[in-house]
Amino acid sequence: MKNLDRALWEALDRRNPKRFPRFRRKGEGDSLRYPDPLQIRLDLSARDKDGRIVLPRIFLPKVGWVKVRLSRQIAGEIKNTTVTCKAGRWAVSIQTETDVPEPERRTSPEIGLDLGVVSFATLSDGTRLHPDPAILSAMKRAEDRLRWEQRKLSRKCRKGPKSRNFAQQKLRVARAHEKLSDMRRDFFQKTSTAMSETQAVVYIEDLKIRNMTRSARGTKDAPGKNVRQKSGLNRSILSQGWGTFLSLLESKLARRGGRLVRVDPRNTSRTCAACGHVSPENRPDQATFRCVVCDHADHADVNAAKNILRAGHARCACSEAKTSESAA
Ligand SMILES: [Zn+2]
C-alpha cells in the first residue's frame, strides 16, 4: 500500500509526472518490506556450536534466521528492510539513518564531459572513460550469451504440460540479463566514484535536448567501417546506461560538495574549441575534428567536451552575475 501510494503521488505530480503504476504480475519485481525496524535483528558475529565464526545472519519475521553476505558495513540506525528476489537470487536491503555533516562547497577542479558513441564518455582534458578491453569483451560475451538464451526461449512451449521448460529457460534469460547489468553497473559505479573524487564540478550536455538535436550523430557522419561496428556494440552495451551513470555521478558529486551542471548541447560537436567557428564541415568524419578556419585539429569527442566545459563556464558566470545584481 505504501508503494502504491507513492507511485500514485508521483504519477499525478504535475511538474514531473512518472509512469502510471501498472498491475503487478507474480514473479515480476517481487519484494517485501519490513517497515518496523524493531522486528529485525542482525547478528554480525554468529558462531556455530564449535565457536567458529560463520556468515552473519539476519532475523526476518515469519522467516527466521537467514545467513547473509554483507556487501558493505552497516552504519547507523536501521529503518527499513526490504527483501527482493531477482532472477532467482535473494537480496536484502537495509536502509539506515546516520548524521552526515554538510560537505564543504567545492567549485574546482571543473571538467566537461561528452557522452559518446564510440567511447562511453570523453573528458575535456582528453581522458576517455571506457571499460577496459578485457571487460568490454567479457560484456560482449555476456551479451552473446543473453541472445543465445533468448533464442532458446523463443523455441520453448509456453503453455500446456511442458511449460516447465519454458519457466526454466525464462530464468536462464533473466540470469543472463542480470549478469550483463551487473557488469554495466560495476563500470558505472567505479567510474562515477573515481570522477567524484577527482572533480568538483562536471558539465554535461542536457540529454533531453540532446536526443532531439544529435540523434543522427553516429550514423549520419560515420563513414568508417569499424566506427559503426563499435558504435553498435557500445549502443547496446553501455549507452542505455547514460542516465544511470549520470544520476550516480550527480549524487556522488553532491555528497562531496561538488555538482553536476547540465548545459545546452547545441553546436557542441560543430564548434571549434580554439577559435569558436561553427560549421558542420569542421567534422570530416565521426572521430576527427578539423576547424576549416584556424586549422585547429583534435579528436571530435575531446573538442565537444571542451565546448561543453566552456558553455558551462558561461552559464555559471551568467547566473552568478544575476545573483550578485539582485543582491545589490
Ligand atoms: Zn578554429
Side-chain angles (χ1 to χ4, degrees), residues 272 274-277 291 293-296:
C272 170
C275 75
H277 178 70
C291 179
V293 173
C294 74
D295 213 36
H296 167 73

Side-chain angles (χ1 to χ4, degrees), residues 166-223:
F166 181 81
Q168 271 176 358
Q169 188 57 35
K170 207 173 163 193
L171 185 62
R172 285 195 199 105
V173 171
R175 285 213 182 108
H177 262 301
E178 277 295 284
K179 176 101 184 165
L180 190 59
S181 85
D182 286 349
M183 291 170 126
R184 215 182 272 137
R185 194 170 50 232
D186 182 67
F187 170 70
F188 293 155
Q189 290 279 11
K190 284 175 179 164
T191 316
S192 57
T193 299
M195 270 198 82
S196 69
E197 281 166 359
T198 51
Q199 308 297 337
V201 183
V202 180
Y203 299 103
I204 53 142
E205 300 166 297
D206 195 329
L207 286 176
K208 271 181 253 161
I209 308 175
R210 184 184 198 265
N211 285 343
M212 285 181 262
T213 54
R214 275 170 63 179
S215 56
R217 182 182 166 190
T219 46
K220 206 175 86 189
D221 39 28

Side-chain angles (χ1 to χ4, degrees), residues 128-171:
R128 346 204 67 207
L129 300 181
H130 209 61
D132 231 61
I135 293 170
L136 202 64
S137 73
M139 282 176 163
K140 183 85 184 70
R141 279 200 302 280
E143 204 193 21
D144 290 344
R145 173 77 191 230
L146 172 63
R147 292 237 179 80
W148 189 63
E149 299 286 12
Q150 276 171 332
R151 207 155 44 233
K152 275 173 85 177
L153 181 69
S154 70
R155 289 193 288 257
K156 302 258 187 252
C157 174
R158 256 165 211 277
K159 291 264 152 68
K162 281 187 181 166
S163 72
R164 201 168 177 169
N165 278 326
F166 181 81
Q168 271 176 358
Q169 188 57 35
K170 207 173 163 193
L171 185 62

